[in-house]
């Protein structure tokens, strides 16, 4: 029997991780990416311990750690700078076996890409259709349609997944979460903790990155589709009066570095991540709000579990895909629900009495319980 062949649709973090997981299990992989050049939109990212254990299983954990900065966990603050809860970073690292990492998205994307054979990635390939039984995908490249068959198709085509729409046409489209976000990666060498600050209906977070960089993000409850002529000025209006170093970070941000994104999630969960010989993963399977910093982490977990399930090549592929669905759907959907909850009781909470109650509870929460909460979703190890 020849080498099993998988087509991966989408070269985001999830698609590249899946291609790498399958490649390491003896699969030939073809990654079809719509963009004309490999890229990762966005700025920085936190990789929680679960994501790093997944990357270790893919053989890229160490080079990725070298490009990032281990978390210096700070915790949660109010807009005037008072601490609501603090996380003991060393204890968290002991519990989880590794510290979380702040990293530039472009560095993570490049390292995943470089771990794959160069010939695996086909850019400018816009997938327009899929046949789950053959399985096969049809894509357009330079205006020419091509249908490609393989043994397995992996749908890693993100939030607005074409494969999800084709295979589950009745599933409602991703829903607006009620929040919009701004983010930027800037030059910043002074020490800053990995911390989150909450104000009514708003949140500001800081993540040190490798190489003298820092990533900040800000989110606000707002109607969808809002855009300002100067997004940095909009962030300064809302967050410029918050505690230091937030005003200083905004002062050091070039306007063109600011990216604004309305936050969507798959509010109606998929009934399965598998149809025929197509498996969905990452945002295509379970797009979640970023309030727990777990979207990419879940995509990496998916990839590792899919690779392990498909280690037998085409032998009992239906069984392998059923195992993938069984292992991944409950956990990733629970985390997606928890992310939406974290948004509701965190950044989106606006009523002064509710905010006061929440903040009071957080201040009274024992350190051990805060640690358990911080570790809850990051406590995952690859199969086997
Ligand atoms: C503001 C914000 C902050 C976040 N912070 C974090 C964080 O700190 N930690 C974390 O773990 N997660 C975070 N996330 C979530 C994380 O970014 C995503 O979950 C993750 O990037 C999803 O990866 P993916 O590969 O599934 O999808 P994507 O990154 O969307 O990749 C999909 C790829 O498929 C391609 N594609 C789409 N359609 C087609 C097609 N028809 N044909 C061919 N190619 C196609 C796209 O061009 C793209 O390259 C955050 C998200 C946001 C919005």
């Amino acid at each position: 029997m020849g080498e099993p062949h998988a087509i991966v649709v989408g070269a985001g973090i999830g698609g590249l991780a899946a291609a790498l997981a399958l490649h390491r299990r003896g699969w030939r992989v073809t990654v079809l990416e719509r963009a004309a050049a490999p890229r990762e939109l966005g700025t920085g990212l936190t990789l929680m311990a679960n994501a790093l254990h997944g990357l270790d299983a893919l053989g890229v954990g160490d080079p990725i750690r070298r490009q990032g900065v281990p978390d210096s966990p700070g915790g949660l603050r109010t807009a005037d700078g008072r601490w609501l809860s603090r996380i003991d970073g060393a204890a968290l690292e002991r519990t989880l076996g590794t510290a979380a990492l702040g990293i530039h998205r472009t560095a993570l994307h490049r390292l995943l890409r470089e771990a794959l054979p160069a010939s695996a990635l086909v850019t400018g390939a816009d997938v327009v259709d899929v046949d789950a039984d053959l399985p096969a995908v049809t894509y357009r490249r330079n205006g020419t349609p091509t249908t490609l068959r393989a043994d397995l198709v992996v749908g890693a085509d993100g939030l607005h997944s074409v494969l999800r729409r084709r295979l589950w046409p009745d599933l409602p489209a991703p829903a607006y979460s009620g929040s919009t976000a701004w983010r930027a990666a800037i030059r910043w060498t002074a020490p800053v903790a990995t911390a989150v600050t909450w104000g009514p209906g708003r949140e500001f977070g800081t993540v040190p990155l490798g190489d003298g960089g820092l990533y900040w993000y800000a989110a606000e409850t707002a109607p969808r589709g809002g855009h300002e002529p100067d997004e940095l000025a909009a962030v300064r209006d809302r967050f410029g009066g918050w505690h230091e170093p937030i005003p200083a970070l905004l002062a050091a941000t070039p306007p063109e570095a600011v990216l604004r994104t309305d936050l969507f999630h798959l509010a109606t969960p998929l009934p399965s991540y598998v149809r025929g010989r197509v498996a969905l993963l990452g945002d295509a399977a379970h797009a979640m709000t970023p309030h727990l910093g777990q979207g990419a982490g879940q995509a990496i977990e998916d990839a590792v579990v899919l690779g392990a399930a498909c280690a037998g090549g085409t032998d009992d592929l239906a069984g392998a895909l059923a195992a993938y669905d069984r292992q991944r759907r409950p956990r990733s959907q629970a985390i997606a629900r928890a992310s939406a909850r974290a948004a509701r009781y965190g950044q989106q909470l606006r009523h002064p009495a509710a905010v006061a109650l929440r903040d009071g509870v957080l201040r009274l929460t024992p350190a051990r319980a805060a640690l358990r909460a911080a570790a809850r979703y990051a406590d995952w190890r690859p199969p086997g």
Side-chain angles (χ1 to χ4, degrees):
M1 201 176 56
E3 200 182 22
H5 178 211
I7 298 167
V8 178
V9 181
I13 293 164
L16 292 178
L20 185 53
L22 290 164
H23 171 66
R24 287 171 64 86
R25 301 288 183 165
W27 287 70
R28 181 164 70 87
V29 286
T30 306
V31 185
L32 300 175
E33 166 57 45
R34 172 192 278 165
R39 57 163 195 184
E40 173 66 14
L41 278 183
T43 48
L45 186 78
T46 300
L47 292 172
M48 303 291 181
N50 54 315
L52 287 161
H53 288 310
L55 293 166
D56 285 334
L58 298 180
V60 288
D62 286 340
I64 285 172
R65 280 187 187 82
R66 281 197 291 275
Q67 289 286 315
V69 171
D71 253 11
S72 46
L76 261 175
R77 306 174 81 170
T78 55
D80 60 8
R82 281 174 302 157
W83 289 96
L84 290 170
S85 80
R86 303 202 70 159
I87 301 291
D88 176 345
L92 191 61
E93 186 175 343
R94 272 196 307 279
T95 305
L96 297 173
T98 185
L101 194 82
I103 188 166
H104 278 280
R105 281 178 184 256
T106 44
L108 173 61
H109 198 257
R110 177 176 48 77
L111 287 166
L112 287 171
R113 237 170 34 232
E114 285 173 358
L116 283 168
S119 58
L121 183 58
V122 182
T123 53
D126 186 14
V127 173
V128 291
D129 206 358
V130 61
D131 182 321
D133 299 319
L134 287 174
V137 300
T138 302
Y139 64 95
R140 288 185 175 278
R141 193 163 191 243
N142 300 323
T144 309
T146 305
T147 296
L148 187 63
R149 278 184 74 158
D151 299 298
L152 168 69
V153 171
V154 180
D157 49 344
L159 173 67
H160 299 293
S161 167
V162 169
L163 270 61
R164 186 203 312 125
R165 260 201 324 269
R166 289 276 172 194
L167 299 176
W168 285 272
D170 296 331
L171 195 83
Y176 180 53
S177 69
S179 297
T180 192
W182 296 265
R183 45 194 161 144
I186 61 171
R187 302 291 308 158
W188 188 269
T189 47
V192 172
T194 307
V196 175
T197 301
W198 282 340
R202 291 185 183 150
E203 169 175 326
F204 195 99
T206 46
V207 181
L209 302 173
D211 209 16
L214 180 135
Y215 157 56
W216 63 253
Y217 61 90
E220 174 183 69
T221 307
R224 64 183 281 191
H227 283 290
E228 311 274 345
D230 181 347
E231 296 290 1
L232 178 59
V235 181
R236 283 205 189 114
D237 278 352
R238 290 157 173 82
F239 299 91
W242 286 25
H243 67 79
E244 286 295 351
I246 294 171
L249 296 176
L250 297 179
T253 302
E256 65 279 7
V258 179
L259 182 72
R260 180 168 180 175
T261 318
D262 280 349
L263 302 177
F264 284 77
H265 63 146
L266 201 58
T268 308
L270 274 165
S272 172
Y273 288 176
V274 174
R275 175 144 295 175
R277 281 195 278 162
V278 179
L280 294 191
L281 60 69
D283 280 7
H286 45 62
M288 59 189 74
T289 73
H291 294 84
L292 288 178
Q294 274 288 354
Q298 290 309 297
I300 292 165
E301 287 188 20
D302 293 340
V304 171
V305 172
L306 182 68
C310 295
T314 52
D315 293 346
D316 190 19
L317 198 49
L321 295 180
Y324 163 72
D325 180 55
R326 215 170 35 244
Q327 289 178 56
R328 291 303 307 148
R329 197 157 41 87
R331 173 170 160 82
S332 53
Q333 291 182 344
I335 292 177
R337 282 193 302 276
S339 279
R341 257 194 327 270
R344 265 198 310 281
Y345 297 112
Q347 177 261 304
Q348 294 179 338
L349 205 63
R350 266 198 291 200
H351 192 282
V355 168
L357 180 65
R358 176 202 65 197
D359 291 358
V361 169
L362 281 168
R363 279 198 191 91
L364 293 173
T365 302
R368 194 184 278 272
L371 189 71
R372 264 204 309 278
R376 181 157 177 207
Y377 299 111
D379 199 1
W380 175 88
R381 304 291 165 129

